[in-house]
Amino acid sequence: MTEAILLVGGKGTRLRPLTVHTPKPMVRAAGVPFLTHQLARAKAAGVEHIVLATSYLAEVFEPYFGDGSSLGLHIEYVTEREPLGTGGAIRNVASRLRSGPDEPVLIFNGDILTGLDIRALVDTHEATGADVSLHLTRVTDPRAYGLVPTDDAGRVLAFLEKPQTPEEIVTDQINAGAYVFRRSVIDTIPAGRPVSVERETFPELLATGAHLQGMVDSTYWLDLGTPAAFVRGSADLVLGRAPSPAVPGRCGDRLVLPTARVAPDAKLSGGTVVGEGAFVAEGTRIFGSTILPGAVIEPGAVVTDSLVGNGARVGRRSVVTGTVIGDGAVIGADNELREGVRVWCGARIPAGAVRFSSDQ
């Protein structure tokens, strides 16, 4: 297995305003675009050639990664004119693959942070002679996911989309978003129209007797589809809970990128990242948060489990918890923003305008 397809075309609507100006895989996690971590882990597993299936804001990928040589890879880019879904995107890039009909091709979604042993998935695929092998993980509450029951040998029995009743929850195994396809199987996906591998390709393969193999790997796994999950994933990378060879520094409580300025008495912990050119003033406390390049955290501010966008500003003594602040937004002094708040790019909140407690 020496080549892979990365599905990076989604609009990332659940992550807005993070994705207003930046496609989801290019939002920074632990100091670098999230896609960098996936590329580095694929390289470590032996991948040499990667095709990026792009769509939304496709023009930003190639200027950053180029031909991939800086990462020891050869990267190609294919852009969908109209969104084609997961299966349609895979089929759309098939002409760029070099593998023979029976050779394995790694495919993974661009919004999953995982400690998956990629080589073990490939080895399972080859040892079982499967047509498609799927990474499965176990979750406590599987209602928001597609269930994938398997037999004692790991062979997939069915695909059950988002169960609604207790009777429908027949397993805690879910599709974790990484696959190994036999190259010839990719060519059977219909071309030129939207196709979902989860709802169409996989069920049809099962119905025709194809061998779909599941491999349960319950190491670290996180769907980065929401702002809270993205912030936590970045912190986990910095803390070393999620493995990646692309973290630009030692794992620990904090990661301060070059050209960032942090006051000596500022307290940074919980996997906090401070991006290039950002400024963290005196008396601030930041926990488990991502401060993107050029952002400013003014004196006495407290930022917890939040993301502060490129060039944004958090005013003096403001308290920000579980919040996403879009690029260029300004939060005036003495505000309180709590869990779930999303401040849009360029917005301005006057001093003391939003509070959950008395101003005394």
Side-chain angles (χ1 to χ4, degrees), residues 87-265:
I90 293 168
R91 182 66 178 86
N92 192 51
V93 306
S95 63
R96 303 295 184 93
L97 298 175
R98 305 165 180 171
S99 301
D102 290 325
E103 292 181 325
V105 177
L106 175 68
I107 300 171
F108 49 106
N109 293 335
D111 56 0
I112 300 296
L113 177 58
T114 176
L116 168 68
D117 185 338
I118 297 172
R119 283 304 325 172
L121 181 62
V122 176
D123 291 346
T124 296
H125 177 80
E126 294 180 331
T128 59
D131 295 297
V132 179
S133 297
L134 298 87
H135 171 210
L136 307 179
T137 193
R138 293 189 172 98
V139 295
T140 304
D141 184 358
R143 288 175 297 176
Y145 303 98
L147 306 188
V148 186
T150 56
D151 65 15
D152 292 341
R155 189 157 181 161
V156 174
L157 300 174
F159 291 90
L160 308 173
E161 279 301 314
K162 296 183 180 178
Q164 301 303 311
T165 65
E167 293 74 23
E168 292 177 305
I169 302 176
V170 297
T171 180
D172 60 356
Q173 295 175 177
I174 67 166
N175 177 355
Y179 321 110
V180 178
F181 272 65
R182 187 190 301 272
R183 169 68 178 84
S184 58
V185 173
I186 294 174
D187 294 328
T188 68
I189 300 173
R193 68 169 176 86
V195 179
S196 165
V197 290
E198 300 86 356
R199 293 178 176 82
E200 182 175 344
T201 304
F202 291 157
E204 287 184 358
L205 285 170
L206 272 186
T208 58
H211 180 174
L212 277 69
Q213 185 73 22
M215 187 194 84
V216 177
D217 182 317
S218 293
T219 54
Y220 186 97
W221 184 86
L222 185 64
D223 177 354
L224 300 183
T226 66
F230 200 96
V231 170
R232 188 172 51 148
S234 177
D236 284 348
L237 284 162
V238 174
L239 292 166
R241 295 172 181 165
S244 171
V247 176
R250 291 184 178 182
C251 291
D253 241 12
R254 55 191 271 175
L255 175 64
V256 179
L257 276 294
T259 72
R261 294 179 296 145
V262 177
D265 69 340

Side-chain angles (χ1 to χ4, degrees), residues 310-335:
N310 293 280
R313 179 178 292 265
V314 176
R316 291 172 178 265
R317 298 174 301 278
S318 283
V319 178
V320 176
T321 304
T323 294
V324 171
I325 299 172
D327 297 343
V330 176
I331 311 302
D334 299 308
N335 280 291

Side-chain angles (χ1 to χ4, degrees), residues 10-28 56-57 111 224-227 230 292 307 310 324-327 342 344-345:
K11 291 184 176 180
T13 51
R14 291 186 296 158
L15 275 178
R16 289 170 75 87
L18 293 181
T19 51
V20 170
H21 302 129
T22 307
K24 179 166 48 177
M26 295 298 287
V27 177
R28 288 176 177 250
Y56 177 65
L57 296 176
D111 56 0
L224 300 183
T226 66
F230 200 96
L292 290 182
L307 186 144
N310 293 280
V324 171
I325 299 172
D327 297 343
R342 304 184 190 211
W344 230 248
C345 299

